[in-house]
Amino acid sequence: MQSKSLTELSKNFECLLDPNAPYFSDMSVVCGSVAIPAHKAVLCARSPVFAAMLTAQMKENAQGRVNITDVEEPILRAMLVHIYTGKTADLNVASAGGLLFAADKYQLEDLKRVCSHYLKENMTLENVLNTFVLGHLHDKDLKAFAMNFICEYCANISTIEETPEWKLLRKERPQLAIDVLTALVKSKEKN
């Protein structure tokens, strides 16, 4: 009985995001030229970061407007849907990565767990280095999982060294590249 109630509650809260019927919205979340009607109480209840912005003497509270400049609009909308409903639909590796960044920034721990789980379940040799960097930035468990994946599935460094992701990692985050090489060498020595 409770899960039916929670499902209904989730659907009811999703109606609050309907741009054609912004029920009692008291602020906007702005991304580029798009302003999404929102509710301070909901955002504050779900995110400590929004709570800090919207309850303190900050411009966001005074203006009733939060400008989001480092998240793309589809990711922002997916984050808001999760905030309001607890739902996370239609993930892919790119959207899960973007949502992981947003979830970490706004301290949405449940969304972080969902995104990390999705990225772990969909890890491949083609996306493992990008996932490793995401883990380094936003979730140490995801980083460790990616490192283990690299050690287990890369027969040797040549498996990944010609990829654009490896070249970018070496250029932009050389210490992480060294960490990967070190882990691979240690892994091969054990075996």
Side-chain angles (χ1 to χ4, degrees), residues 1-12:
M1 186 62 122
Q2 185 181 7
S3 77
K4 185 176 179 186
S5 292
L6 290 176
T7 301
E8 192 64 31
L9 179 66
S10 179
K11 284 171 54 179
N12 292 342

Side-chain angles (χ1 to χ4, degrees), residues 153-171:
Y153 294 104
C154 290
N156 53 49
I157 190 60
S158 64
T159 308
I160 57 173
E161 74 179 336
E162 293 303 317
T163 66
E165 292 79 11
W166 176 254
K167 292 173 183 171
L168 190 63
L169 183 69
R170 284 185 39 217
K171 179 181 177 186

Side-chain angles (χ1 to χ4, degrees), residues 10-26:
S10 179
K11 284 171 54 179
N12 292 342
F13 268 77
E14 192 165 15
C15 292
L16 295 173
L17 289 171
D18 183 350
N20 298 318
Y23 301 106
F24 306 107
S25 65
D26 55 0

Side-chain angles (χ1 to χ4, degrees), residues 39-57:
H39 306 81
K40 289 180 183 179
V42 174
L43 296 179
C44 289
R46 298 280 283 155
S47 165
V49 175
F50 280 122
M53 276 193 271
L54 298 171
T55 59
Q57 297 298 325

